[in-house]
Amino acid sequence: MNAARPLVLMSGVGAVGAYFGGRLAAAGQAELRVICRSDYEEVAAHGYSIASPNGDFHFQPSRVYRSAAECADAPDYLIITSKVLPGINQPAIVGPAVGPHTTLVLIQNGIDIEKDLARAFPHNELISGIAYVGVTRIAPGKIVHTDGGTLKFGRYPQGESESCRKLTALFNAAQVGTEYHTDMQRIRWEKLLWNAPFNPVSVLLRANTSQIMNDPKTVELIRTLMHEIIALAAADGWPLPEDNIDKLLKYTAGFRPYKPSMLIDFEHGRPMEVEAIVGNALAAGERLGVATPGLKTIYALLQYWQKNTAVTAQP
Amino acid sequence: MNAARPLVLMSGVGAVGAYFGGRLAAAGQAELRVICRSDYEEVAAHGYSIASPNGDFHFQPSRVYRSAAECADAPDYLIITSKVLPGINQPAIVGPAVGPHTTLVLIQNGIDIEKDLARAFPHNELISGIAYVGVTRIAPGKIVHTDGGTLKFGRYPQGESESCRKLTALFNAAQVGTEYHTDMQRIRWEKLLWNAPFNPVSVLLRANTSQIMNDPKTVELIRTLMHEIIALAAADGWPLPEDNIDKLLKYTAGFRPYKPSMLIDFEHGRPMEVEAIVGNALAAGERLGVATPGLKTIYALLQYWQKNTAVTAQP
């Protein structure tokens, strides 16, 4: 690694990638390059404009590539911020840019989403990351930041990592509150505890968080689904305190009306992270022998909408 | 009872009531009167017109009442064919017309829907009935019959009934294939085995039976919900053969695309029989100690739509 100024290559740069990449670039301690397929023309010419309540900012990557193969220099960090969708061969997409000392970094939702990369690059360090941020891409290269903007990182599957510590420090030096963890799978289950109930239910009811929280019977459903996630996490070796449920419900009840990302994707006819957020949890249940009847029901309904939305709305 | 020509009073006459009442009237072996609130003017003036693939027919009740209190003669049979919805006080609606020898008859969907009447009229015979018919009210007094047209009757809660035999004979003499049963609760569970899965899922997916049956994962969901109904029925004392599930699925796969009644109600912004078909099944589960996690999930979602459809669509 170029200790003074590491090279960071980002892949699957949507709103999340542009926001965090932009912060990192603005701090000047890393060189930021991006692989950008769909918005290539706009981003190569003008970079990303990020409107934020903390002050608008601009992110001009030092290089913009159409594919990983165009990047001749092996990056110190290769950060993937795409949505997690079936049929995307992530190792094939980033593979050409991965050098022997490249640390792979995922900033993505869901559970059990690291396996393909871990299997494809067994000798590279892999960092699992989660973002807590409200950002939306409103046009090519145009990003709106509304809420949050923090990260949690940890080595996959667990344990200490010098490389991860350095990445955490880089982000913290760039106005991004970032936590270093040695137990990222616990952190993933904690985030799934909110995501797995609220995202699907919001889609199935076309309801924001306030509408869900205002109906005692839908709150009870959310609670049931949360209990299933807690059971899964415990069987996976990450027992979460039961009172996380009450805390999360109380926290969510305090939101202004908020549309989970899956509902926004649904409303725009975009693919939803059904498998990463629900399907993989069910698979964990099968593997660990944990019953997940509520999640299974939600999943069956949601995957139908996924297919039927995709059919009608995708180009 | 006037053995030669019994007096039949019908209450809650929508499409189902008009169809079967019309058949009975046409056969001439009973006098048919109706209580008809919302369509009173039209029905009093012109009766019901029923378009049917078996030949259109007309049903002119001998009397049309706005309320039960207007009927001075205690009927031999008081047949209720309204939808089963919460907040409707059925005993209060029909009570003024019930004489000491009146047999009460329900032709309605759902499970555990007889209790209010049984409690209110403990000395009257109560017949529980289910219709198998596709009929739609397209305008006041205008009914379209598309499919089926049979009935099953039995004494509530079970056992033999001379009055029920006579009613069965009346309908059979009126071109309505009607079965007499001594175990109507079994028949109700059998019908619920189809209704409780397909009606809610069709609403939650805005899907007809073909769309549901073409997706292996939604079929699997239907199967899971059917297993829960079978467990409930067994605990209630009515074990149904497990292979009913495969038979029903095969039968449904053979339908032309068909919208369950709950989906049609939903699309028209009308109240759905959520409680009679799902809520009462959950209550049975609570009472009998049978887990119904899939149905609970479906119910929580459906009751949200019930409320939100009703809010936006009801006058």
Side-chain angles (χ1 to χ4, degrees):
Chain A
M1 181 186 299
N2 180 337
R5 200 152 181 273
L7 175 59
V8 176
L9 177 64
M10 303 192 76
S11 174
V13 182
V16 170
Y19 178 80
F20 290 108
R23 288 278 181 227
L24 211 51
Q29 296 187 15
E31 181 190 346
L32 266 288
R33 303 182 187 179
V34 303
I35 303 166
C36 176
R37 233 178 357 163
S38 50
D39 296 351
Y40 177 83
E41 304 292 348
E42 174 66 24
V43 172
H46 305 293
Y48 298 94
S49 301
I50 298 124
S52 168
N54 310 326
D56 300 350
F57 62 106
H58 184 255
F59 169 29
Q60 184 63 57
S62 64
R63 309 258 180 111
V64 181
Y65 302 119
R66 287 182 192 272
S67 75
E70 296 175 13
C71 183
D73 313 299
D76 297 302
Y77 295 99
L78 197 162
I79 304 181
I80 298 166
T81 55
S82 58
K83 283 203 296 187
V84 182
L85 299 172
I88 293 184
N89 186 338
Q90 203 57 258
I93 291 172
V94 301
V98 176
H101 303 295
T102 299
T103 295
L104 296 162
V105 183
L106 298 177
I107 303 181
Q108 294 178 313
N109 276 321
I111 199 80
D112 279 336
I113 56 162
E114 304 93 344
K115 286 181 177 167
D116 287 352
L117 278 176
R119 205 175 295 123
F121 305 103
H123 304 299
N124 289 76
E125 188 140 7
L126 176 53
I127 297 176
S128 184
I130 299 183
Y132 302 78
V133 66
V135 278
T136 314
R137 170 191 172 284
I138 57 168
K142 309 285 179 236
I143 311 297
V144 174
H145 169 228
T146 51
D147 297 291
T150 59
L151 292 168
K152 294 184 184 177
F153 282 131
R155 182 180 189 161
Y156 177 82
Q158 62 191 79
E160 297 286 355
S161 159
E162 194 50 37
S163 173
C164 186
R165 284 194 185 279
K166 284 181 182 160
L167 185 68
T168 303
L170 276 177
F171 275 104
N172 275 312
Q175 301 186 43
V176 176
T178 303
E179 294 176 11
Y180 170 87
H181 290 274
T182 56
D183 54 357
M184 264 312 283
Q185 295 311 302
R186 180 178 63 77
I187 308 287
R188 287 210 168 273
W189 282 115
E190 280 176 0
K191 187 157 191 202
L192 204 72
L193 190 59
W194 195 93
N195 272 335
F198 276 103
N199 271 291
V201 169
S202 73
V203 172
L204 294 174
L205 301 181
R206 321 286 194 265
N208 62 39
T209 50
S210 301
Q211 292 169 309
I212 294 169
M213 294 305 297
N214 281 338
D215 183 324
K217 288 178 179 166
T218 54
V219 172
E220 208 43 45
L221 169 59
I222 295 282
R223 188 183 290 278
T224 299
L225 299 174
M226 285 182 167
H227 277 291
E228 293 184 8
I229 295 293
I230 291 220
L232 287 171
D236 196 34
W238 303 106
L240 309 180
E242 284 281 336
D243 70 356
N244 277 20
I245 291 177
D246 282 334
K247 285 180 188 166
L248 267 186
L249 290 174
K250 195 175 169 188
Y251 168 69
T252 308
F255 288 4
R256 281 169 303 168
Y258 170 77
K259 288 185 180 182
S261 63
M262 205 180 264
L263 176 57
I264 294 173
D265 283 337
F266 177 78
E267 289 180 344
H268 289 83
R270 295 188 300 241
M272 303 178 283
E273 293 184 301
V274 174
E275 296 305 324
I277 290 177
V278 193
N280 288 358
L282 297 187
E286 296 289 329
R287 192 176 68 243
L288 301 164
V290 175
T292 55
L295 288 167
K296 269 186 189 163
T297 304
I298 293 290
Y299 174 79
L301 299 170
L302 195 62
Q303 64 84 35
Y304 179 91
W305 282 112
Q306 171 85 298
K307 279 188 289 189
N308 287 277
T309 312
V311 166
T312 56
Q314 280 204 111
Chain B
M1 180 187 301
N2 179 339
R5 199 151 181 276
L7 176 59
V8 176
L9 177 64
M10 302 191 78
S11 174
V13 182
V16 170
Y19 177 81
F20 290 109
R23 288 280 181 224
L24 211 52
Q29 295 187 16
E31 180 189 347
L32 266 288
R33 302 181 187 178
V34 302
I35 304 166
C36 177
R37 236 178 355 164
S38 50
D39 295 352
Y40 177 83
E41 304 292 348
E42 174 65 24
V43 172
H46 305 292
Y48 298 94
S49 300
I50 298 121
S52 168
N54 311 325
D56 299 351
F57 62 105
H58 184 255
F59 169 29
Q60 185 62 57
S62 65
R63 309 257 181 109
V64 181
Y65 303 120
R66 286 183 192 272
S67 74
E70 296 175 14
C71 183
D73 312 300
D76 297 301
Y77 294 100
L78 198 161
I79 303 181
I80 298 166
T81 56
S82 58
K83 281 203 295 187
V84 182
L85 299 171
I88 294 184
N89 186 338
Q90 203 57 258
I93 290 172
V94 301
V98 176
H101 303 295
T102 299
T103 294
L104 296 162
V105 183
L106 298 177
I107 304 181
Q108 293 178 314
N109 276 322
I111 198 80
D112 279 337
I113 56 161
E114 304 94 344
K115 285 181 177 167
D116 287 353
L117 279 176
R119 205 175 294 124
F121 305 102
H123 305 300
N124 289 75
E125 187 139 7
L126 177 54
I127 296 175
S128 185
I130 298 183
Y132 302 79
V133 66
V135 279
T136 314
R137 169 192 172 284
I138 56 168
K142 308 285 180 237
I143 310 296
V144 174
H145 169 228
T146 49
D147 297 291
T150 60
L151 292 168
K152 294 184 184 178
F153 282 132
R155 182 179 189 161
Y156 177 82
Q158 62 191 80
E160 297 284 354
S161 159
E162 194 50 36
S163 172
C164 186
R165 284 194 185 280
K166 283 181 181 161
L167 185 68
T168 301
L170 276 177
F171 274 103
N172 275 312
Q175 301 186 42
V176 176
T178 303
E179 294 176 10
Y180 170 87
H181 290 274
T182 56
D183 53 356
M184 264 313 284
Q185 295 311 303
R186 179 177 64 77
I187 308 288
R188 285 209 170 273
W189 282 114
E190 280 177 0
K191 187 159 191 200
L192 205 73
L193 190 59
W194 195 94
N195 272 335
F198 277 103
N199 271 291
V201 169
S202 73
V203 172
L204 294 173
L205 300 182
R206 322 288 193 263
N208 62 38
T209 49
S210 301
Q211 292 169 310
I212 294 169
M213 294 305 296
N214 282 339
D215 183 325
K217 289 178 178 167
T218 55
V219 172
E220 208 43 46
L221 170 59
I222 295 282
R223 187 183 291 277
T224 298
L225 299 174
M226 286 182 166
H227 277 291
E228 293 184 8
I229 295 292
I230 290 220
L232 287 171
D236 196 35
W238 304 105
L240 309 179
E242 284 281 336
D243 70 356
N244 276 20
I245 292 177
D246 282 334
K247 284 179 187 166
L248 266 186
L249 289 175
K250 195 175 168 188
Y251 168 69
T252 308
F255 288 5
R256 281 168 303 168
Y258 170 77
K259 288 186 179 180
S261 63
M262 204 180 265
L263 176 58
I264 293 173
D265 282 338
F266 177 78
E267 289 180 343
H268 289 83
R270 296 189 300 242
M272 303 177 283
E273 293 183 301
V274 174
E275 296 305 325
I277 291 177
V278 193
N280 288 358
L282 297 187
E286 295 290 330
R287 192 175 69 243
L288 301 165
V290 174
T292 56
L295 288 167
K296 270 187 189 164
T297 304
I298 292 291
Y299 174 79
L301 299 170
L302 195 62
Q303 63 84 35
Y304 180 91
W305 282 113
Q306 171 85 297
K307 279 187 288 188
N308 287 277
T309 311
V311 166
T312 55
Q314 280 202 114

